[in-house]
Amino acid sequence: MLKVIFFLAAVFAGAVARAEILELRPQAITEWKAVYGEVEPRDLIPARARIGGTVVDLDVTAGDMVTAGARVAVVVDDKLTFQRDAIDAQLGSLRTQLVTARADLLRGESLRERGVITVQRLEQLQTAVDVLDGQIKGAEAERLVIEQQVAEGAVLSPVAGVVLSVPVARGSVITPGEEVARIGGGGVFLRLALPERHAATLVVGDEIAIGTDGDGQTGRLAKVYPQIEGGRVLADVEVAGLDDRFVGRRVPVRLPVGTRQALLVPKDAVTHRAGLDFVTVETSTGAVQRAVVPGQETMRDGAVWLEILSGLRAGDKVVHGDE
């Protein structure tokens, strides 16, 4: 029996000799806070009406993709049509008067050569032609203004993207500047609203874990807004390949809010027996098994480590590896 015990002890001692010895030292680990971020478009711009009137055409609905400058709707103001018709009638009258005035000027020049009329009368005829010509040019300019206003009845998309909402309907009466459609474009990012106590810990460029377990996507903290409202600080996170099908979708996020000191051991150093966790510790009298309470897992240099909440202290020599 004693030979068997000595044999097992020798085997165990040999295994310890082949294993690695790790002297525990407190290590800094990152504190993570789980929050939710909302998917937001980079550019959220309303397509607004430039003139008031009635919506006669509505070319988009929520969810449609549009290009920059694409027509979203058409607004018509009947008063512009009446004003243009009035200017056209005025132009017709002025052009007829101009034809008569130019004919009078030609006759006057002929009579002046024969000495029938005075130079003063000839100048009056020339002035009449110049006045009518100026009036025609003024009326044509007014007509161009009306035509531009009519053209501005086309509501255009300010950016390329997706139509998020259309708050008007065909036949609606709207005023200048009123929103006809809301366009989201330029890609998407995550918008976070965090308690203000974490504002000082946020650093632009920090890596943000997307998901609840930290094993999924990662993002980069791109911007922290300086204004705090309602006890919340806003921050934007850039995430490559973020799903942009649903704006406003909530996504779980884990972000670093600080660091703390902890004792870490390799995961393979912890064994589980009879509902308890044990770690082998090298002492002056040999290797002993200590019951420990493990905490959360963390990744270090591509390996999984466990935080030890109790059962070990700094300076202990943990045996791990091939036992």
Side-chain angles (χ1 to χ4, degrees), residues 40-224:
E40 295 286 346
R42 296 181 185 276
D43 302 321
L44 183 59
I45 306 177
R48 297 186 182 277
R50 293 175 286 179
I51 65 171
T54 304
V55 178
V56 296
D57 285 325
L58 195 58
D59 301 330
V60 297
T61 59
D64 289 347
M65 300 298 298
V66 294
T67 59
R71 196 181 78 173
V72 172
V74 176
V75 178
V76 171
D77 185 357
D78 292 334
K79 295 189 298 295
L80 297 177
T81 302
F82 299 150
Q83 292 175 9
R84 184 173 56 186
D85 292 344
I87 292 176
D88 287 341
Q90 182 182 1
L91 281 171
S93 175
L94 290 173
R95 285 169 181 154
T96 300
Q97 295 179 44
L98 180 60
V99 170
T100 302
R102 283 175 175 170
D104 291 342
L105 179 60
L106 288 175
R107 285 194 296 271
E109 290 174 347
S110 177
L111 293 174
R112 178 69 187 92
E113 292 175 356
R114 291 181 290 175
V116 176
I117 63 173
T118 63
V119 174
Q120 181 180 6
R121 176 56 183 164
L122 183 63
E123 290 177 349
Q124 290 175 348
L125 294 174
Q126 181 65 54
T127 300
V129 171
D130 294 341
V131 169
L132 288 171
D133 192 50
Q135 290 177 343
I136 289 174
K137 290 180 179 179
E140 288 175 342
E142 290 181 11
R143 193 181 192 284
L144 289 176
V145 172
I146 299 299
E147 288 180 348
Q148 179 62 30
Q149 289 178 326
V150 172
E152 289 178 352
V155 182
L156 307 179
S157 172
V159 294
V162 60
V163 179
L164 300 179
S165 64
V166 181
V168 301
R170 186 179 286 104
S172 300
V173 177
I174 60 177
T175 58
E178 189 170 340
E179 181 178 313
V180 176
R182 180 163 294 188
I183 314 295
V188 293
F189 62 89
L190 282 181
R191 171 68 54 81
L192 307 181
L194 307 172
E196 59 182 314
R197 65 178 180 275
H198 298 305
T201 64
L202 298 177
V203 178
V204 174
D206 279 351
E207 187 175 272
I208 307 299
I210 309 301
T212 55
D213 54 6
D215 295 332
Q217 285 182 294
T218 60
R220 184 183 68 86
L221 191 62
K223 185 174 183 179
V224 179

Side-chain angles (χ1 to χ4, degrees), residues 4-48:
V4 174
I5 294 175
F6 287 140
F7 174 75
L8 294 175
V11 172
F12 182 74
V16 171
R18 291 193 303 270
E20 297 181 16
I21 305 298
L22 172 67
E23 185 174 349
L24 292 185
R25 291 285 183 269
Q27 301 184 50
I29 63 173
T30 303
E31 289 277 6
W32 297 87
K33 180 175 179 60
V35 296
Y36 278 93
E38 287 192 1
V39 178
E40 295 286 346
R42 296 181 185 276
D43 302 321
L44 183 59
I45 306 177
R48 297 186 182 277

